[in-house]
Structures are given as structure tokens and as C-alpha cells.
Amino acid sequence: MDRRVEFVVGGAFAFVRYTGIDRDTKDLDLFVRRADWPKAADALNACGFETELTFPHWLGKAFGGRSREFFVDLIFSGGNGVAEVDDEWFAHAPRGEALGFPVRMMPVEEMIWSKAFVMERERFDGADVAHLIRARQDELNWPRLLQRFGEHWRVFLAHLILFTYIYPTDRAPQPAIDELLNRLKTEPSTDPELRICRGTLLSRAQYLVDVDKWNYADARLVPLGTMTPEEMAVWTEAIEK
């Protein structure tokens, strides 16, 4: 049986490669296509690992040994359903090394794209985004990065504006900023008849009041987003856990 599964390494291993910022980590982040989860789980189970599909819309886990302190995250997308792993993750993945093995790293553009949406009370990845831009500005594929954000380009614009505040004496990515500011002036935002809250794409907890109490449409939910009501219920229930 062919158990080979394409993956790219992210997390602390990719972050130190791109920024030089080293972090202790107890897990290994592997990004795989959602369709490859069954094959990946079979391969890991055959090697003695315990696996679980923790959140079906974006995350599986693998544990080894009696203690579950160290584990592998198999990630299919962001928890908000954005930044889904697709063929571009592999087409643009640079070669690197993790734990002494040659691997492919997640592309820096995908790292920025996925981290840009993490704005929880307990975790905000804006500093990571700023550090990635500072370290890799000259080699970023800016047209591809802008394309990755798609309809969520305002999130990236917010990070770029923050970059100019964080590093006032560094060269700013001005062409990208100018392009997005021009969009801001010319593109309509949304249908005014539909009250949408996109805040849930940035924080699964802090904007629940908007959709539960103030009757905004949740931008995560199909057809506005990619998540089903069942997936959202499981993801919301996990907040307390």
C-alpha cells in the first residue's frame, strides 16, 4: 500500500528559517491537503502513533508514547476555514531541514497569509507577520501574496499599515500598500442589505456576541465562508475546553 503523503513543515521550524527567531516547541506542524488525512492517519497508525481528527475542518493530531506531551499537528487550513492547503503550498515550498531530516518548508507567503488572521485575546500573530515581512520583504512574491488574501485583502492592508508603524525607519512595502489603498477607495465593501460580521474570521470567541445577540451573519458559514454549522458548533464548543 502506498502511504506516501505530501506535506510541508511549518510552525517554529519554518519561522526560524525565515526570521532567525528561534522558539521552543513541543509539537511539529505539518501542513497537508484535507483529502490526504485518511492516508496520513493510516501511515502514522502503522508506525505506532495514535491519531485523532481533532477538528474535521482543519486539524488532526498524532501522538507517540505514553505521554501526550509531544505531538504532531496535521493542518489542513486555518481554524476559520481560510488559508486551506492546496497545490500552491507544495509548488512554492523551499527545501529545508527539520529534526535533521531534509524537508520542504511551508512558503513564506502562506505563513504570512495564515498568521494574518490570528487575533485572539490569548494569541495575536501580528508580530510574526511583521517579522516575516521585515526579514523577507525583498524576496516575497508580492503579487502571489496579494492573490492569496483574495477578498480578505483588508486584513493584509491592516498588517501593512501596522508594519509602517512598527518599523518607521525601515523601507515599507509601498507598492503593495498603494495598491490596497487604491482598492479601499474604489471597491465597494459588501451588500448593504446583508449585515455581515467578519470578525469571527479573526477571533472565534470575541465576535460571538455579534452573531448570537446582534444578528450579524457569520462570515465563516457557507455560503459566505467554508464552514458548516456542525463544524462551527464543534469549534465554538472547544473555546471553553
Side-chain angles (χ1 to χ4, degrees):
M1 179 184 296
D2 184 6
R3 291 196 173 103
R4 290 175 294 181
V5 176
E6 273 195 306
F7 67 89
V8 294
V9 175
F13 293 97
F15 191 69
V16 68
R17 171 196 169 97
Y18 291 131
T19 67
I21 300 172
D22 200 1
R23 294 171 174 166
D24 291 333
T25 182
K26 292 184 178 180
D27 67 338
L28 175 65
D29 290 346
L30 303 182
F31 290 78
V32 301
R33 297 177 182 88
R34 175 64 183 84
D36 285 338
W37 162 254
K39 188 191 293 187
D42 286 345
L44 289 162
N45 291 335
C47 294
F49 291 89
E50 176 189 350
T51 59
E52 66 176 36
L53 186 55
T54 314
F55 298 107
H57 73 288
W58 80 279
L59 176 69
K61 289 181 178 288
F63 305 91
R66 295 180 181 178
S67 171
R68 292 164 68 97
E69 181 181 7
F70 298 97
F71 52 90
V72 177
D73 281 339
L74 289 96
I75 301 168
F76 327 129
S77 77
N80 58 4
V82 179
E84 182 177 357
V85 177
D86 59 17
D87 291 347
E88 283 202 40
W89 290 67
F90 304 98
H92 299 277
R95 298 288 175 178
E97 182 178 299
L99 302 174
F101 292 94
V103 296
R104 288 188 293 176
M105 296 290 182
M106 70 183 299
V108 63
E109 291 84 7
E110 273 67 19
M111 180 166 269
I112 292 171
W113 179 34
S114 57
K115 283 182 171 293
F117 292 87
V118 181
M119 300 188 189
E120 299 287 355
R121 286 190 67 184
E122 70 279 7
R123 175 179 170 182
F124 175 68
D125 279 4
D128 287 357
V129 173
H131 285 135
L132 287 163
I133 294 172
R134 189 204 69 82
R136 298 290 168 169
Q137 181 177 168
D138 291 338
E139 62 193 64
L140 282 173
N141 185 330
W142 287 97
R144 196 174 80 81
L145 181 55
L146 293 177
Q147 182 270 329
R148 279 317 228 173
F149 276 89
E151 66 176 312
H152 307 296
W153 56 267
R154 289 175 177 82
V155 176
F156 191 37
L157 175 60
H159 283 283
L160 292 177
I161 297 299
L162 274 177
F163 181 88
T164 67
Y165 178 80
I166 295 164
Y167 299 112
T169 58
D170 283 18
R171 177 170 54 87
Q174 203 59 49
I177 293 173
D178 290 342
E179 177 177 340
L180 295 181
L181 285 175
N182 185 59
R183 285 192 205 177
L184 194 63
K185 296 175 183 177
T186 58
E187 287 191 14
S189 52
T190 57
D191 182 354
E193 298 298 319
L194 181 62
R195 300 173 74 239
I196 299 172
C197 178
R198 290 184 177 139
T200 51
L201 293 169
L202 305 175
S203 169
R204 63 173 167 166
Q206 296 180 93
Y207 295 94
L208 288 179
V209 64
D210 296 82
V211 297
D212 291 343
K213 185 176 181 180
W214 298 333
N215 297 318
Y216 281 86
D218 193 326
R220 298 173 297 176
L221 186 63
V222 291
L224 297 173
T226 62
M227 296 177 66
T228 66
E230 294 75 20
E231 290 169 342
M232 283 176 44
V234 171
W235 188 223
T236 300
E237 182 181 354
I239 293 172
E240 295 301 324
K241 297 178 182 179

